[in-house]
């Protein structure tokens, strides 16, 4: 498959060259090659396993064989490891034609050895017709790793040409030997774009380690500089053209304009069951809908009122709660929102069509609240008793709008309802992927997580939320959202269960790890527990309990540090000359020889720490202490020492190395 961004690249490149030779390291179907038939003069698509330089070799030899290099002014070697052009290639070529050089590229790299990066290279005749260049290209062979290709061919080509006296240059200024930027400029894509580089490395938008400017910031900057390319990278390459060709733009609602934070739509019923503590509601709600459809089989769709007419009487009062929860959890699909906003900016008539039991007025209010203003008409199957699933709702829309099917572009996620049935009537369509399916296909960990917990509501919500936010932001935002957040949520849900089993209502969270834990716990437990945030530094256990021997058990370094901490803390409180301690044996002997003095000082610290706890007004006998992982349990030991009349139970978490 030839990606849309590659086609965009070729379109930009064609404006500055007379002919493009397209070489790939894999077979490509003829139907795919049709996409570029007007952009290239020759395509060679077969497996050669020689990476990009293998493709350069094959393209060069074909051009040489056909005599294309005899009269050429420049030879360009470039590959699809970049997105672009962000800015027209013409600007870069105009600038570089003013420079006195024999070959050039976009930027220089001094990793391994100074060289011009090979993702975009331009050679003048004195180079590409030279014997040394021809021999270098002809002798390109398969290497075992990408690193070998870089060393032997990317770095090697620059080295060979420099040794022959050829002058190389780069479009982007080289920042100097002492600048980190000079090592590899491509890891600073925003800086590159600010300097009008037409190309940004693909991995800079997909790999945090290859982007020191931040992926999210880079995408936002790219969007500002080149909206067309931005749409392509969002998977919306041809959407502007499709929107432009139609008078009416129609959107499906659920899984297109609006998203639920669940793996399955029916998980909303489980969520409501848990919120309302209404055991059995989810199954009853599904059964009621099935019964209502049988009861009203003479129409294509039913209303939520008709569903609740068939539900057990004890759940009838939950209809408004269901709608309220829908309103609360529905989330705008930001990718489709871009299409929506673009259609609005072009003055298109916008409508929405949905197979749904919820009322039209309700959905209209939800759409407006979620940012979809300007929808001229909403067609809901339960209102008109016709569905997209049969195609009759599309027929009704065409008649109601008094328009031609060819005037409508329908955008939706369902292969049958939104694509096949619409196209049978002559409506053009754009099929957008379901975000949850995309997540489970692209993220193997997420798929395995769901596979192991298919009926777990919390897992459904976690994965649903990940799918809603399955986009690159900053490294730490993504790390927190995808990993830390779910782990903390799981830990706090487990803690809630354990505390209920242990019948403990007083919960102490240890600073600093407990700061976020307490906030999450308070949210999910809704004030069922009395929680507090308290300080218990590791050193406190040493001061109060003189537990230096535990530290010694961890090794000489840890033991010595523990002893030095005690001696430093009490240095001004004892009437003794404290010697320089260089090993644990000497330290232990000094404390043991003055044990009565240190025990008396430690007791005062315990009393002082106990007074600190008075502010929390702990009334229960049993108290929970919550931390993350711990080796010496120092916080819990300090708390036990300060509160001898309390039963202090510690709760911890850890991650399995598997």
């Amino acid at each position: 498959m030839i990606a849309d961004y590659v086609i965009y690249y070729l379109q930009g490149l064609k404006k500055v060259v007379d002919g493009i030779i397209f070489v790939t390291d894999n077979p490509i179907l003829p139907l795919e090659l049709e996409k570029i038939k007007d952009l290239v003069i020759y395509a060679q698509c077969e497996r050669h396993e020689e990476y990009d330089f293998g493709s350069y070799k094959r393209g060069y030899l074909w051009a040489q064989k056909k005599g294309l290099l005899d009269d050429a002014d420049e030879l360009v070697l470039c590959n699809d490891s970049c997105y672009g052009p962000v800015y027209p290639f013409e600007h870069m070529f105009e600038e570089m034609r003013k420079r006195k050089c024999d070959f050039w590229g976009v930027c220089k790299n001094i990793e391994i050895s100074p060289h011009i990066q090979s993702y975009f290279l331009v050679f003048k005749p004195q180079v590409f017709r030279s014997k040394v260049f021809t021999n270098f290209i002809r002798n390109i062979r398969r290497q075992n790793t990408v690193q070998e290709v870089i060393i032997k061919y990317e770095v090697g080509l620059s080295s060979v040409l420099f040794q022959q006296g050829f002058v190389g240059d780069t479009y982007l200024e080289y920042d100097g030997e002492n600048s980190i930027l000079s090592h590899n400029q491509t890891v600073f894509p925003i800086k590159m774009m600010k300097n009008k580089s037409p190309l940004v490395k693909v991995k800079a938008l997909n790999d945090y380690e290859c982007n020191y400017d931040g992926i999210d910031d880079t995408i936002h900057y790219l969007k500002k500089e080149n909206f067309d390319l931005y749409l392509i990278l969002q998977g919306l390459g041809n959407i502007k053209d499709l929107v432009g060709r139609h008078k009416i733009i129609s959107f499906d609602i659920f899984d297109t304009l609006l998203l639920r934070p669940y793996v399955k739509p029916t998980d909303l019923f489980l969520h409501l069951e848990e919120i309302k503590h209404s055991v059995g509601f989810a199954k009853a709600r599904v059964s009621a809908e099935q019964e209502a459809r049988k009861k009203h089989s003479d129409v294509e769709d039913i209303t939520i009122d008709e569903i609740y007419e068939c539900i057990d009487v004890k759940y009838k009062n939950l209809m408004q709660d269901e709608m309220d929860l829908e309103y609360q959890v529905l989330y705008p699909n930001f990718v489709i929102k871009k299409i929506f906003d673009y259609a609005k900016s072009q003055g298109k008539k916008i409508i929405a069509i949905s197979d749904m039991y919820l009322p039209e007025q309700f959905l209209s209010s939800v759409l407006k609240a979620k940012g979809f203003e300007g929808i001229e008409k909403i067609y809901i199957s339960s209102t008109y008793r016709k569905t997209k699933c049969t195609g009759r709702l599309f027929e009704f829309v065409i008649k109601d709008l008094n328009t031609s099917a060819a005037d409508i572009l329908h955008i939706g996620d369902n292969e049958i309802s939104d694509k096949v049935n619409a196209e049978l009537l002559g409506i053009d369509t754009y099929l957008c992927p379901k975000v949850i399916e995309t997540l489970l296909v692209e993220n193997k960990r997420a798929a395995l997580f769901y596979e192991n917990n298919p009926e777990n509501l919390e897992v459904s919500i976690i994965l649903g939320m990940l799918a809603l936010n399955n986009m690159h932001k900053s490294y730490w935002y993504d790390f927190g959202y995808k990993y830390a957040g779910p782990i903390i949520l799981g830990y706090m849900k487990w803690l809630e269960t354990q505390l209920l089993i242990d019948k403990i209502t007083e919960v102490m969270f240890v600073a600093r790890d407990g700061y976020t834990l307490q906030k999450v716990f308070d949210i999910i437990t809704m004030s069922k527990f009395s929680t507090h945030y308290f300080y218990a530094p590791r050193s406190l256990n040493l001061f109060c309990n003189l537990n230096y021997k535990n530290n010694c058990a961890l090794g000489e370094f840890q033991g010595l540090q523990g002893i030095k901490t005690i001696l430093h803390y009490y240095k001004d409180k004892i009437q003794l000359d404290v010697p320089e301690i260089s090993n644990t044996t000497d330290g232990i002997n000094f404390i043991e020889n003055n044990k009565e003095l240190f025990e008396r000082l430690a007791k005062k610290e315990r009393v002082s720490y106990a007074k600190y706890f008075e502010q929390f007004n702990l009334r229960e006998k049993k108290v929970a202490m919550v931390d993350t992982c711990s080796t010496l349990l120092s916080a819990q030991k300090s708390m036990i020492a300060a509160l001898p009349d309390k039963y202090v139970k510690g709760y911890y978490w850890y991650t399995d190395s598997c």
Side-chain angles (χ1 to χ4, degrees), residues 289-331:
E289 184 170 339
Q290 294 170 347
E291 185 180 339
R293 292 191 184 281
K294 290 178 183 177
K295 183 178 179 181
H296 300 279
S297 59
D298 56 322
V299 295
E300 292 183 13
D301 210 354
I302 54 176
T303 66
I304 191 169
D305 292 293
E306 290 166 340
I307 293 171
Y308 272 85
E309 285 173 5
C310 298
I311 205 166
D312 190 297
V313 65
K314 63 183 177 182
Y315 303 122
K316 287 187 182 293
N317 65 328
L318 293 179
M319 185 176 81
Q320 187 58 50
D321 293 310
E322 178 183 332
M323 293 172 66
D324 290 344
L325 184 58
E326 288 274 21
Y327 192 99
Q328 178 185 340
V329 303
L330 282 168
Y331 204 83

Side-chain angles (χ1 to χ4, degrees), residues 180-191:
I180 188 172
L181 182 60
S182 66
H183 293 280
N184 186 353
Q185 290 171 281
T186 65
V187 299
F188 294 92
I190 293 179
K191 184 175 179 66

Side-chain angles (χ1 to χ4, degrees), residues 90 111 132 163 203 227 242 254 269 372 511 520 590 613 627 641:
E90 290 93 322
E111 292 175 331
V132 67
Q163 289 169 9
K203 59 186 179 182
F227 190 68
L242 283 171
F254 286 85
F269 307 147
F372 296 101
V520 174
F590 180 78
F613 278 97
D627 202 351

Side-chain angles (χ1 to χ4, degrees), residues 76-127:
V76 179
L77 299 181
C78 57
N79 60 46
D80 65 352
S81 68
C82 291
Y83 294 129
V86 180
Y87 311 103
F89 282 119
E90 290 93 322
H91 298 164
M92 181 170 68
F93 275 81
E94 287 171 8
E95 170 61 28
M96 296 311 294
R97 282 169 185 151
K98 300 173 187 175
R99 311 269 187 95
K100 293 181 179 180
C101 61
D102 301 308
F103 69 104
W104 59 271
V106 177
C107 60
K108 187 177 182 178
N109 189 321
I110 67 167
E111 292 175 331
I112 304 172
S113 178
H115 62 280
I116 298 174
Q117 293 197 252
S118 63
Y119 63 82
F120 196 96
L121 291 168
V122 181
F123 305 92
K124 294 182 180 177
Q126 59 268 34
V127 176

Side-chain angles (χ1 to χ4, degrees), residues 403-617:
T403 190
S404 165
D407 289 335
I408 303 174
L409 170 66
H410 179 68
I411 299 168
D413 68 286
N414 188 283
E415 179 77 29
I416 303 300
S417 296
D418 292 311
K419 182 174 173 63
V420 174
N421 289 344
E423 290 179 351
L424 285 173
L425 296 171
I427 296 173
D428 285 336
T429 65
Y430 182 90
L431 194 66
C432 58
K434 293 180 184 290
V435 295
I436 189 65
E437 291 180 2
T438 299
L439 174 74
L440 296 177
V441 168
E442 293 180 351
N443 191 322
K444 292 180 180 179
R445 290 188 182 93
L448 183 62
F449 189 37
Y450 183 62
E451 183 181 323
N452 292 333
N453 303 276
E455 304 302 324
N456 188 299
L457 174 63
E458 285 80 7
V459 170
S460 175
I461 293 174
I462 287 171
L463 294 178
M465 293 300 293
L466 288 180
L468 295 182
N469 290 272
N470 191 24
M471 63 187 78
H472 293 299
K473 293 202 171 186
S474 69
Y475 173 83
W476 290 114
Y477 180 96
D478 275 7
F479 183 85
Y481 199 97
K482 292 179 179 179
Y483 302 109
I487 289 171
I488 289 173
L489 176 63
Y491 180 26
M492 292 299 96
K493 289 291 291 183
W494 171 85
L495 178 64
E496 179 186 16
T497 301
Q498 292 301 123
L499 292 175
L500 291 173
I501 292 171
D502 296 338
K503 297 180 180 179
I504 297 177
T505 58
E506 297 271 14
V507 189
M508 306 293 293
F509 289 87
V510 182
R512 293 167 301 204
D513 293 359
Y515 180 80
T516 303
L517 301 182
Q518 182 191 22
K519 288 183 177 296
V520 174
F521 186 78
D522 287 344
I523 290 171
I524 66 175
T525 59
M526 296 182 289
S527 303
K528 286 190 290 188
F529 299 85
S530 175
T531 67
H532 310 282
Y533 181 69
F534 79 107
Y535 292 92
R538 294 182 184 91
S539 57
L540 193 66
N541 184 42
L542 294 169
F543 307 151
C544 292
N545 303 319
L546 301 179
N547 277 330
Y548 52 86
K549 291 183 180 179
N550 286 347
N551 286 60
C552 293
L554 298 177
E556 176 68 20
F557 178 78
Q558 291 277 20
L560 186 58
Q561 289 302 113
I563 291 168
K564 284 185 174 182
T565 298
I566 292 172
L567 296 180
H568 178 76
Y569 183 76
Y570 286 126
K571 185 176 181 179
D572 297 331
K573 301 180 182 181
I574 58 178
Q575 303 299 318
L576 294 173
D577 290 328
V578 179
E580 285 293 326
I581 302 297
S582 59
N583 58 75
T584 55
T585 301
D586 290 346
I588 291 173
N589 288 336
F590 180 78
I591 294 175
E592 291 294 329
N593 290 336
N594 299 280
K595 193 166 186 179
E596 184 177 337
L597 173 61
F598 281 104
E599 288 282 9
R600 190 165 61 250
L601 293 170
K603 183 177 180 180
K604 288 182 179 180
E605 293 297 325
R606 289 196 294 272
V607 171
S608 177
Y609 193 46
K611 289 182 179 179
Y612 165 74
F613 278 97
E614 290 176 2
Q615 64 182 299
F616 302 119
N617 194 25

